[in-house]
Amino acid sequence: MGENVLVLGITGNIASGKSTVSKELARRGAVVLDADQLAREVVASGSSALKKVVKLFGTEILQKDGDLDRDRLGQMVFADVKVRAMLNGIIHPEIAKKSIEQLQQLRETTAAPLIIYEAPLLFEVGAETRVDKILVVKIDPEEQLRRLMARDRLSEADARQRMNSQMQQEKKIIRADFVIDNSGTLVETQKQVDLSLIHISEP
């Protein structure tokens, strides 16, 4: 185990459909490690990272049960580049540590031929060094806006603010080994996943 396992990084901008593609690959036998899930774990109630975040932002970012209010925090950081950078400085080193450890463990123990590392900020935090190949999920900007507004119940202004806060999609695409366009139907995306798997498995 481990020698022939390929780690594929999946990234893309907000509401592009990264999780959809990851789930489709999981249905085809891949093992998925989700950076967003790791992000939730590192700021779990009582964690040192959460204490640092509360010190920076105040107790207003906590829910009544002491857990992080991710929606409230998101509203604060998406509106301010400097504040977002300060938050990332707390959280991303913890995510990096966890992801490196868990990816190595998966490389050594999994029987699956493909490990997925789904990471929205793969390029932004230099995490591309943790994977062997990169797949970018792209989406038409207007469809992205529509899906984001519907998914997160955001106004158009708030949705555009979140979209504009990210690295341009084109800059991610030129650094990708594979690209899937998730602007259309699920069936169309599934066909692209199957085609991509053929190329991903090539030596």
Side-chain angles (χ1 to χ4, degrees):
M1 294 182 190
E3 294 183 3
N4 298 318
V5 177
L6 184 139
V7 178
L8 177 69
I10 291 185
T11 192
N13 284 357
I14 191 168
S16 60
K18 299 177 293 297
S19 295
T20 296
V21 172
S22 293
K23 288 175 183 176
E24 289 299 324
L25 287 167
R27 288 179 56 223
R28 292 157 175 78
V31 174
V32 178
L33 180 64
D34 183 357
D36 275 348
Q37 179 58 40
L38 297 181
R40 294 184 186 94
E41 293 175 6
V42 301
V43 291
S45 181
S47 66
S48 60
L50 181 59
K51 292 176 182 176
K52 292 177 182 177
V53 173
V54 171
K55 186 175 181 180
L56 179 61
F57 292 95
T59 56
E60 63 187 282
I61 62 163
L62 294 177
Q63 299 175 350
K64 291 181 180 180
D65 60 4
D67 287 341
L68 179 65
D69 186 335
R70 293 169 63 86
D71 289 339
R72 173 62 179 153
L73 182 60
Q75 292 170 5
M76 297 171 68
V77 301
F78 276 110
D80 191 315
V81 175
K82 291 182 179 180
V83 171
R84 189 162 65 250
M86 293 169 69
L87 175 66
N88 289 342
I90 295 171
I91 294 177
H92 286 300
E94 298 291 334
I95 297 174
K97 181 180 178 181
K98 270 184 170 286
S99 65
I100 291 169
E101 291 174 352
Q102 293 190 28
L103 285 171
Q104 183 59 36
Q105 184 178 29
L106 286 170
R107 281 183 186 271
E108 295 172 353
T109 61
T110 186
L114 182 65
I115 298 168
I116 302 299
Y117 182 48
E118 183 186 336
L121 301 180
L122 187 80
F123 293 121
E124 290 89 334
V125 300
E128 67 267 31
T129 59
R130 302 171 207 165
V131 302
D132 301 311
K133 298 286 184 179
I134 297 170
L135 186 155
V136 167
V137 182
K138 64 175 286 189
I139 187 170
D140 174 78
E142 289 306 310
E143 179 63 15
Q144 178 189 19
L145 176 65
R146 186 190 68 78
R147 292 182 187 179
L148 179 57
M149 290 172 64
R151 188 192 72 183
D152 294 354
R153 299 188 297 278
L154 297 173
S155 67
E156 180 176 342
D158 286 343
R160 288 191 183 279
Q161 182 185 62
R162 297 195 179 199
M163 289 167 60
N164 293 336
S165 73
Q166 298 189 310
M167 179 189 290
Q168 291 181 356
Q169 180 171 253
E170 290 73 19
K171 291 184 178 180
K172 296 185 177 184
I173 290 172
I174 62 175
R175 297 171 67 178
D177 297 291
F178 313 100
V179 177
I180 285 179
D181 188 340
N182 189 44
S183 304
T185 66
L186 177 59
V187 171
E188 290 170 336
T189 297
Q190 289 170 333
K191 290 179 180 178
Q192 292 179 73
V193 168
D194 288 331
L195 184 60
S196 294
L197 264 178
I198 295 172
H199 297 299
I200 291 167
S201 60
E202 291 175 348

